[in-house]
């Protein structure tokens, strides 16, 4: 509407404006946006479940589906047809998208959902570096088959590790599909047994009981995915929501549009003429055409020439948007992936040392003082060293168990001091959760995830 244009102009001229109200005006009609990641042990049925869900929601066309059904039948692997669809559709969809995370889109009644990370990737942890850092909510898929749930949960499986990981990255809401319930004749006893075990663990891991929903289902047969179950044995004891309703019931994260502007750059490319573009997620605040921005950690200024979301030009973009920004007044070679664009009046911190509260999982050698790691912060990848082990914490309560531990093994939580090889742009988790999360990797394996608790200038 013309009102909106006026507001945008006011912002561009730096006249006082209310970003929250403007956001409502511009986007109020749209569905709330939710970023969701799918986690769980290998073979829990993540690909099949999501492939089937996307198919039922009309995200995969009939012809393609028919092709995969025939091909998979020919190979005697019909049970893989949905997983295949997801993998192949993923490749197609990813073409032209510069993100290193697989993305799928679907809608529920009130939400527009972006599924992060192609669940077909068996090697989940390395791939979730960018994924989990952006996720608002997670689906934790577990296999109800006798023996299989136990493998994934008790015996070094990934169920616990993934749940702890997303929690330590700030995800608070979980849906837990108790999958493959067809293999146990839809047994209520089996469902209850698994729920009981998971409840105890998830509570310990820091999830509120009211923020976790368990859903009996079968990704293969499609029971209870997008509509109420029809299987008699399941109908007999379950009348709760189907998976789609559970996703719809997630609370949407608030878009922090009133906070100072920050955008983390994940791609840089040539535009028309002398101009060039950067793209990335607007983590907080808003950005308008004509705004002055500061590129950190180098602290170089630039001007916003134009803005776009998926090739549609915009005069203003908001927190939560994946935006393309055309910049002027700055050299392209001075911009790198992982840099942060911010409001020059309220810039991000720039430092090479900070403290973080981390969770350690996956280490073959315990972490000791001086331990070299690769730091991942949004799209930034930088060598770093764990300088100090300050204290070991109780994982669920956060209470100090031990001061100055000599080493940190798997499944421990701790406060550590990290020294990066050069200054980076960062923020406290308490001030900006988007720029306050880090991951530590060694030899391509993620060994810890954490939240920045103190910046040492
Ligand atoms: P992922 O590794 O978690 O992505 O698991 P997949 O989706 O690749 O599935 C692993 C195996 O479990 C495949 O053989 C699937 O056909 C099978 N599977 C998946 N979902 C179900 C289900 O609901 N019921 C049964 N019986 N098998 C399933």
């Amino acid at each position: 509407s013309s009102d909106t244009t006026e507001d945008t102009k006011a912002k561009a001229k730096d006249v006082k404006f209310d970003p929250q109200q403007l956001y409502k005006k511009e986007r109020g009609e749209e569905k709330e946006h939710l970023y969701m990641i799918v986690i769980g042990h290998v073979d829990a049925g993540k690909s099949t479940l999501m492939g089937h869900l996307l198919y039922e929601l009309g995200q995969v066309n009939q012809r393609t589906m028919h092709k995969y059904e025939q091909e998979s039948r020919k190979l005697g692997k019909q049970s893989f047809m949905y997983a295949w669809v997801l993998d192949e559709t993923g490749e197609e969809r990813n073409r032209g998208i510069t993100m290193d995370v697989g993305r799928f889109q679907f809608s529920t009644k009130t939400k527009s959902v972006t599924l992060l990370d192609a669940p077909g990737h068996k090697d989940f942890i390395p791939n979730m570096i960018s994924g989990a850092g952006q996720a608002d909510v997670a689906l934790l898929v577990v296999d109800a088959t006798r023996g299989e749930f136990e493998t994934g949960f008790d015996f070094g499986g990934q169920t616990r590790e993934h749940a702890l990981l997303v929690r330590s990255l700030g995800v608070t809401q979980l849906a837990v599909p108790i999958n493959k319930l067809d293999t146990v004749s839809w047994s209520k006893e089996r469902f209850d047994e698994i729920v009981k075990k998971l409840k105890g663990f998830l509570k310990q891991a820091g999830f509120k009981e009211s923020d976790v929903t368990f859903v009996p289902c079968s990704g293969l047969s499609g029971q209870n995915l997008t509509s109420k179950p029809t299987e008699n044995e399941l109908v007999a004891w379950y009348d709760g929501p189907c998976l789609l309703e559970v996703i719809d019931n997630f609370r949407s994260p608030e878009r922090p549009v009133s906070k100072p502007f920050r955008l983390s750059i994940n791609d840089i490319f040539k535009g028309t003429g002398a101009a060039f573009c950067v793209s990335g997620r607007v983590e907080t605040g808003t950005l308008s055409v004509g705004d002055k921005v500061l590129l950190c950690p180098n602290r170089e200024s630039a001007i916003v020439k134009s803005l776009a979301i998926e090739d549609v030009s915009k005069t203003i973009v908001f927190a939560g948007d994946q935006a393309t920004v055309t910049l002027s007044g700055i050299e392209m070679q001075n911009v790198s992936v992982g840099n942060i664009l911010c409001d020059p009046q309220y810039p991000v911190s720039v430092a090479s040392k900070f403290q973080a509260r981390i969770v350690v999982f996956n280490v073959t050698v315990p972490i000791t003082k001086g331990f070299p790691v690769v730091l991942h912060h949004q799209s930034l990848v930088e060598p770093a060293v764990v300088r100090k082990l300050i204290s070991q914490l109780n994982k669920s309560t956060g209470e100090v168990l031990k001061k100055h531990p000599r080493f940190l093994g798997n499944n421990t939580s701790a406060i550590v001091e990290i020294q990066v090889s050069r200054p980076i742009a960062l923020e406290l988790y308490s001030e900006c959760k988007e720029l306050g999360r880090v991951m530590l990797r060694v030899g391509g394996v993620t060994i810890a995830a954490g939240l920045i608790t103190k910046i040492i200038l």
Side-chain angles (χ1 to χ4, degrees), residues 215-237:
V215 196
C217 66
S218 163
L220 194 59
S221 76
Q223 281 293 306
N224 209 25
L225 298 188
T226 59
S227 54
K228 297 267 176 225
T230 50
E231 200 72 55
N232 287 335
E233 285 161 298
L234 181 57
V235 175
W237 59 267

Side-chain angles (χ1 to χ4, degrees), residues 43-48 79-80 122 179-180 182-183 218-220:
D43 287 343
K46 300 181 290 296
S47 310
T48 305
S79 69
F80 273 113
K122 296 284 181 234
N179 194 31
K180 306 195 192 181
D182 55 302
T183 66
S218 163
L220 194 59

Side-chain angles (χ1 to χ4, degrees), residues 100-283:
D100 55 352
V101 194
R103 278 158 184 271
F104 300 86
Q105 206 73 44
F106 65 90
S107 287
T108 66
K109 208 161 78 193
T110 63
K111 301 210 167 49
S112 159
V113 183
T114 301
L115 190 64
L116 294 163
D117 202 343
H121 292 166
K122 296 284 181 234
D123 198 2
F124 173 77
I125 297 251
N127 279 311
M128 73 182 281
I129 296 293
S130 354
Q134 294 167 40
D136 301 312
V137 300
L139 285 192
L140 172 63
V141 182
V142 301
D143 183 345
T145 311
R146 285 186 212 291
E148 291 302 324
F149 168 74
E150 288 72 12
T151 303
F153 187 65
D154 292 327
F155 307 113
Q158 290 139 345
T159 311
R160 289 170 190 264
E161 188 182 312
H162 287 182
L164 283 170
L165 187 58
V166 296
R167 183 65 196 87
S168 65
L169 285 170
V171 170
T172 55
Q173 301 179 81
L174 270 190
V176 187
I178 311 289
N179 194 31
K180 306 195 192 181
L181 219 58
D182 55 302
T183 66
V184 291
S185 317
W186 310 99
S187 157
K188 180 179 188 307
E189 287 65 39
R190 180 62 174 162
F191 177 82
D192 290 342
E193 180 192 356
I194 293 173
V195 168
K196 193 170 164 219
K197 280 195 179 162
L198 283 174
K199 255 191 185 162
F201 163 70
L202 292 172
K203 199 170 164 199
Q204 244 188 3
F207 289 97
K208 267 197 222 155
E209 205 169 318
S210 56
D211 284 346
V212 179
T213 312
F214 299 92
V215 196
C217 66
S218 163
L220 194 59
S221 76
Q223 281 293 306
N224 209 25
L225 298 188
T226 59
S227 54
K228 297 267 176 225
T230 50
E231 200 72 55
N232 287 335
E233 285 161 298
L234 181 57
V235 175
W237 59 267
Y238 185 77
D239 69 349
C242 66
L243 182 60
L244 193 66
E245 289 171 307
V246 173
I247 296 172
D248 189 55
N249 285 338
F250 277 130
R251 288 186 311 277
S252 299
E254 261 185 49
R255 287 209 182 201
V257 294
S258 299
K259 287 191 171 180
F261 164 70
R262 276 104 180 76
L263 178 147
S264 46
I265 297 175
N266 53 35
D267 200 11
I268 303 161
F269 50 95
K270 199 95 198 69
T272 50
F276 72 97
C277 308
V278 300
S279 65
R281 181 163 145 118
V282 183
E283 308 291 358

